[in-house]
Amino acid sequence: MGKKKRKLLQPRLDFCHDVRREATHSLVISPPNQPREGDHREQLFPPVVMTASRSDSLVVLFGATAGAYGAKLGSDERELILLVWQVVDLHSKKVGTLHKSLVKADNLDLSDQCREVSGLTPEGLDKAEPLDRVLQQFNQLVSSDLKVLGRSNYTLCSDGQLLIRQVLHPETSKKNFVLSDCFYSFYDLRKEFHTCYPSSAAVKDQTIKTMAEYLGLGTDEAEEDFGVWQVKTMVAIIFTMLSESCSHLFTEPENVKHKYETGPCSKSETVNSDTVIRARGLPWQSSDQDIARFFKGLNIAKGGVALCLNAQGRRNGEALVRFVNSEQRDLALERHKHHMGSRYIEVYKATGEEFLKIAGGTSNEVAQFLSKENQVIIRMRGLPFTATQEDVLGFLGPECPVTGGKEGLLFVKYPDGRPTGDAFVLFSCEEYAQNALKKHKEILGKRYIELFRSTAAEVQQVLNRYMSTPLIPTLPTPIIPVIPSPYTIATGSVRDCVRLRGLPYTAGIDDILEFMGDATGDIKPHGVHMVFNQQGRPSGDAFIQMKSADKAYMIAQKCHKKMMKDRYVEVFQCSGEEMNFVLMGGTLNRSGLSPPPCLSPPAYAAFQAAAVIPAEAAIYQPQALLPATRTPQASAATPQTVTYYPAQAAQLYMNYTTYYPSPPVSPTTVGYLTAPPGAVAAAATATHTPILPQPGALVRMQGLPYNTGIKEILSFFQGYQYAPDDYNGLIQLSDQARSVLQAPKEWVCL
């Protein structure tokens, strides 16, 4: 740069405390009126009052942890072990005493980098004070220095953001003590330096050393103790910036939010994808405040925590978090695998679209409910369907008054007005919310009520889920028969299919098509099949039918171990026969093919014919999922599928997904529409296939005890009359089971 190096400016010491230098070469500070060893009286040090306006003084602050140093400071959750600071008077350009204090960490195991850079040892740290005592000393000493300088307020100034945001705030939050207000506002010396010298390096590339070299200041670190040189150099840089040639003003400090602010989010908002992360592995009972505490020190946008729910409306351990800017988001990513209690939390990038899908809403009723800001939201689940607002208010009682009375209640309903048993309640303070949570599982009517902390995003998500539920029973008539062309899964040995393994559980059809890229044009119509487990949840597998074996080979080579949502996906070439085995409940692994566990190998041979997999849009009829017979002769001809669609409702569901049958021949759809009797009779005559005399009589039972037998099921359906003989051609029964069914029965289920 051609600039002549100047000797590092030595701060002027206007006063000095009693400083003793120990054998560990660290500075141990004994401030005035500090309790000496053996004095067990507790003494509090009130913080100096500071304002958000321009400060008279700066407190230059430097720190180090027992782990990573530099750009990775705080990324490994290691505790603070060193604080060094000095007061700088911006008007008189005088300084106070330079203070260095060691901090005793709970874990004194120092990293190799820490030992090498700082020269500290566990033995030296073992004699130091814990962090809360050091911060009390900090407040007292700063107060004393300011009085000597004749100043009343100050703002911290640190080298970058990491010490304040990634070390001090997270550690004090975990140790459950509150930082004084001075730690919620600070100047980032790197940003101030770049503002003063725009031609210098980018902010993210700045260090104390590079800033000193840019100004031509001395940079011999060996002359001073670790931490002391850094603070002296920072003070020298500040004096240079304050000189007449620059006249820099410190006017815009960085701010740390004291608490997370709740609020609604509209789907019409624009959310920058560079500000959103996905947190995974959260405890199921964690609230938005718990997540905000995990990211303590970082500024989350108002209403920026969205807890994700599973298909059953329960939290799935994930959340989307929106920060105020990309800088805060990048700092949040550095907390990947930090701990919340005993659990480590994974942190990944996410998109604005994902956030709006979870947190965004369009309901005016919800917007009005959430318009009352800074309220604590409690979710009530399991309410009687006849419960009224008065019942809920009476259940909560006078010890936890609801904000606005009835206006602070929001009942969740289906589109036709039927109650779901869920409600959300607003409370004005944490005390009232805690009183309400004590009523968890108390009785209202004849039901026990569950109470949980909730969020504005969860309110939107629950309302969106129920309001978008298809109303099958109220769809317009008539119900017309449609005979679609079936999608057949070839069972030959031609390897014209691919298997995707290790899909993210949140992946959908659109994600798979995007993952395939240009190869989507080589997929057969309706050729994407998601595999679900016996609980109806994604198994992480999918099969795709390609137009040829060559296309399948190419896509397997191209996409194997390609990333999808931060997970790599394995892609293997396979045959239609192998795919059919897995879709019908079997397994495919290195040991070969295994038939479904509930079918014997001879009976399973009937499935080796081309299996008909109906579209998810279909309202399944029983014969659509059952073969004509269990004999090889009958399996040669696949019966034509009769599927019934309600008018104007054919596009309610996507056509790509096929469910993992559980058991292999049972449909997974929960809603059925009765087909016209004449259409069913015509279909039976045309296909010569045994058909149930009354379509729609097939039901699926979930949640049965594992020891349930046929007698218990028949007893459960007491009062419903059906003839068992009509099922003989469809169900393969043992002699014992057949003897039970041949007696007069009211119900037969598959």
Side-chain angles (χ1 to χ4, degrees):
M1 294 182 294
K3 293 186 179 181
K4 182 178 180 181
K5 283 193 175 184
R6 293 173 290 178
K7 184 177 180 181
L8 180 63
L9 296 176
Q10 296 297 323
R12 175 182 173 186
L13 303 181
D14 292 310
F15 61 95
C16 181
H17 293 299
D18 177 24
V19 178
R20 296 179 288 110
R21 188 172 295 274
E22 303 241 334
T24 57
H25 303 289
S26 61
L27 295 178
V28 182
I29 301 170
S30 300
N33 301 324
Q34 174 72 10
R36 300 290 180 176
E37 185 176 357
D39 186 353
H40 299 290
R41 293 173 299 172
E42 183 177 3
Q43 185 168 351
L44 299 178
F45 306 102
V48 177
V49 177
M50 57 167 290
T51 63
S53 61
R54 181 182 174 187
S55 299
D56 299 323
S57 307
L58 297 180
V59 174
V60 179
L61 185 67
F62 177 82
T65 68
Y69 175 72
K72 289 295 183 180
L73 183 69
S75 63
D76 53 3
E77 286 189 286
R78 298 304 302 272
E79 296 171 276
L80 191 73
I81 60 171
L82 175 69
L83 272 182
V84 187
W85 69 91
Q86 189 171 31
V87 177
V88 177
D89 187 337
L90 296 177
H91 298 286
S92 66
K93 297 181 177 59
K94 296 180 180 179
V95 298
T97 301
L98 189 148
H99 303 280
K100 177 177 179 180
S101 181
L102 301 183
V103 183
K104 183 178 180 179
D106 295 336
N107 181 7
L108 294 177
D109 183 20
L110 306 183
S111 69
D112 294 338
Q113 184 185 24
C114 176
R115 291 172 182 267
E116 179 182 353
V117 173
S118 68
L120 300 175
T121 63
E123 294 75 20
L125 294 174
D126 191 47
K127 302 176 183 178
E129 296 282 357
L131 180 59
D132 56 340
R133 292 293 299 164
V134 170
L135 292 178
Q136 288 177 348
Q137 293 175 15
F138 171 86
N139 287 328
Q140 184 208 32
L141 294 173
V142 169
S143 178
S144 300
D145 291 358
L146 288 174
K147 288 180 181 178
V148 172
L149 292 172
R151 299 300 175 186
S152 59
N153 58 17
Y154 70 94
T155 305
L156 297 178
C157 180
S158 65
D159 172 35
Q161 312 235 348
L162 301 183
L163 176 61
I164 305 293
R165 295 191 186 274
Q166 297 286 69
V167 178
L168 279 169
H169 278 281
E171 183 173 342
T172 54
S173 177
K174 290 179 180 178
K175 294 183 177 180
N176 293 316
F177 57 88
V178 181
L179 283 172
S180 58
D181 289 343
C182 66
F183 291 97
Y184 288 85
S185 180
F186 66 97
Y187 288 106
D188 182 345
L189 183 58
R190 300 185 185 189
K191 289 185 177 180
E192 298 295 327
F193 186 85
H194 188 72
T195 302
C196 185
Y197 303 101
S199 60
S200 62
V203 173
K204 64 179 181 179
D205 298 326
Q206 297 278 18
T207 64
I208 298 176
K209 187 173 182 179
T210 59
M211 289 187 287
E213 290 177 347
Y214 183 86
L215 298 176
L217 302 177
T219 58
D220 187 4
E221 301 181 44
E223 296 180 0
E224 304 286 354
D225 287 334
F226 177 72
V228 174
W229 176 87
Q230 282 81 356
V231 170
K232 285 185 176 181
T233 306
M234 291 169 67
V235 171
I237 293 171
I238 292 172
F239 282 159
T240 305
M241 294 168 61
L242 294 174
S243 63
E244 295 181 359
S245 59
C246 297
S247 300
H248 181 73
L249 298 178
F250 290 84
T251 57
E252 297 182 4
E254 299 285 322
N255 293 307
V256 180
K257 288 189 176 182
H258 281 74
K259 67 176 185 177
Y260 167 67
E261 299 178 279
T262 61
C265 176
S266 172
K267 285 188 178 292
S268 61
E269 288 187 34
T270 300
V271 178
N272 186 352
S273 294
D274 292 335
T275 63
V276 183
I277 61 94
R278 178 183 294 272
R280 182 179 298 164
L282 299 166
W284 68 269
Q285 72 274 25
S286 58
S287 66
D288 54 348
Q289 298 296 336
D290 296 323
I291 296 171
R293 185 176 181 181
F294 175 80
F295 289 108
K296 185 69 173 177
L298 306 181
N299 293 339
I300 299 175
K302 184 178 180 180
V305 177
L307 295 166
C308 301
L309 306 180
N310 60 19
Q312 287 74 41
R314 300 177 184 271
R315 297 172 186 172
N316 63 2
E318 295 189 4
L320 294 171
V321 185
R322 177 187 178 190
F323 294 90
V324 295
N325 54 44
S326 59
E327 181 183 33
Q328 304 289 305
R329 193 282 304 266
D330 293 340
L331 292 174
L333 292 173
E334 292 296 326
R335 300 196 187 182
H336 179 60
K337 292 195 174 181
H338 282 205
H339 288 76
M340 181 184 290
S342 59
R343 298 174 65 96
Y344 73 83
I345 309 302
E346 301 175 9
V347 182
Y348 303 102
K349 292 181 181 180
T351 65
E353 290 77 8
E354 290 176 309
F355 182 83
L356 287 176
K357 183 178 179 181
I358 298 298
T362 56
S363 170
N364 292 331
E365 183 183 12
V366 176
Q368 183 177 359
F369 176 76
L370 297 175
S371 62
K372 304 175 181 65
E373 298 180 356
N374 298 322
Q375 300 288 309
V376 183
I377 305 175
I378 298 295
R379 180 181 180 183
M380 303 180 69
R381 192 165 61 195
L383 291 169
F385 294 145
T386 57
T388 63
Q389 292 177 327
E390 290 78 8
D391 295 332
V392 174
L393 293 175
F395 172 80
L396 294 171
E399 63 272 18
C400 38
V402 178
T403 301
K406 295 181 181 180
E407 294 181 359
L409 296 176
L410 178 64
F411 286 91
V412 183
K413 298 180 181 180
Y414 289 106
D416 59 354
R418 291 179 296 118
T420 64
D422 281 25
F424 292 94
V425 189
L426 294 178
F427 296 99
S428 59
C429 66
E430 186 67 29
E431 179 185 358
Y432 295 158
Q434 288 291 346
N435 292 337
L437 291 173
K438 293 177 183 177
K439 297 180 179 291
H440 179 61
K441 292 197 174 181
E442 289 190 8
I443 302 299
L444 174 60
K446 295 183 179 180
R447 299 175 64 95
Y448 71 85
I449 310 302
E450 298 175 291
L451 290 94
F452 308 96
R453 287 183 175 275
S454 188
T455 67
E458 185 173 9
V459 176
Q460 298 279 22
Q461 204 174 163
V462 172
L463 267 294
N464 291 344
R465 182 184 303 277
Y466 282 111
M467 293 304 293
S468 61
T469 303
L471 293 178
I472 297 295
T474 61
L475 285 171
T477 56
I479 299 173
I480 56 175
V482 179
I483 302 180
S485 57
Y487 327 131
T488 60
I489 300 179
T491 58
S493 59
V494 179
R495 301 174 65 81
D496 57 352
C497 305
V498 291
R499 178 186 185 184
L500 275 58
R501 188 170 67 186
L503 294 170
Y505 294 129
T506 57
I509 298 298
D510 293 338
D511 299 312
I512 293 178
L513 296 179
E514 182 180 356
F515 175 81
M516 299 284 288
D518 296 337
T520 53
D522 299 322
I523 300 175
K524 288 184 179 180
H526 310 291
V528 180
H529 306 281
M530 302 283 288
V531 181
F532 289 70
N533 61 21
Q534 295 184 359
Q535 288 74 42
R537 299 172 183 170
S539 66
D541 281 20
F543 286 92
I544 302 176
Q545 293 176 271
M546 308 301 292
K547 292 182 178 179
S548 67
D550 293 339
K551 301 294 185 183
Y553 174 80
M554 291 175 62
I555 195 63
Q557 295 296 317
K558 178 181 178 182
C559 295
H560 184 56
K561 293 194 174 182
K562 182 179 174 182
M563 300 298 293
M564 179 190 295
K565 293 185 177 181
D566 299 316
R567 295 189 63 172
Y568 73 85
V569 178
E570 298 176 291
V571 183
F572 306 101
Q573 187 179 9
C574 66
S575 65
E577 180 183 13
E578 294 169 336
M579 176 172 61
N580 191 22
F581 270 47
V582 175
L583 291 179
M584 297 311 298
T587 59
L588 173 62
N589 50 40
R590 292 184 177 88
S591 302
L593 295 173
S594 299
C598 55
L599 294 178
S600 60
Y604 186 75
F607 287 90
Q608 294 180 5
V612 177
I613 306 298
E616 186 183 356
I619 307 302
Y620 295 138
Q621 295 299 317
Q623 69 275 14
L625 290 176
L626 294 174
T629 70
R630 295 295 177 113
T631 62
Q633 291 79 5
S635 65
T638 302
Q640 189 175 17
T641 304
V642 180
T643 308
Y644 289 91
Y645 295 88
Q648 306 176 7
Q651 301 301 322
L652 282 176
Y653 304 94
M654 290 185 296
N655 292 334
Y656 291 103
T657 305
T658 179
Y659 285 97
Y660 184 114
S662 171
V665 293
S666 297
T668 56
T669 323
V670 295
Y672 296 89
L673 292 178
T674 303
V680 176
T685 305
T687 60
H688 305 287
T689 303
I691 296 181
L692 303 182
Q694 168 119 16
L698 197 63
V699 298
R700 179 187 183 189
M701 301 177 67
Q702 289 182 311
L704 289 172
Y706 293 115
N707 58 353
T708 301
I710 294 178
K711 290 184 178 180
E712 287 80 8
I713 297 176
L714 295 176
S715 176
F716 178 81
F717 286 108
Q718 185 77 20
Y720 295 87
Q721 180 68 42
Y722 269 94
D725 294 339
D726 294 320
Y727 292 85
N728 290 345
L730 297 175
I731 312 172
Q732 192 172 36
L733 301 173
S734 63
D735 293 337
Q736 181 182 3
R738 192 175 302 280
S739 65
V740 175
L741 289 173
Q742 284 176 350
K745 301 294 181 302
E746 289 76 20
W747 186 268
V748 173
C749 68
L750 297 176

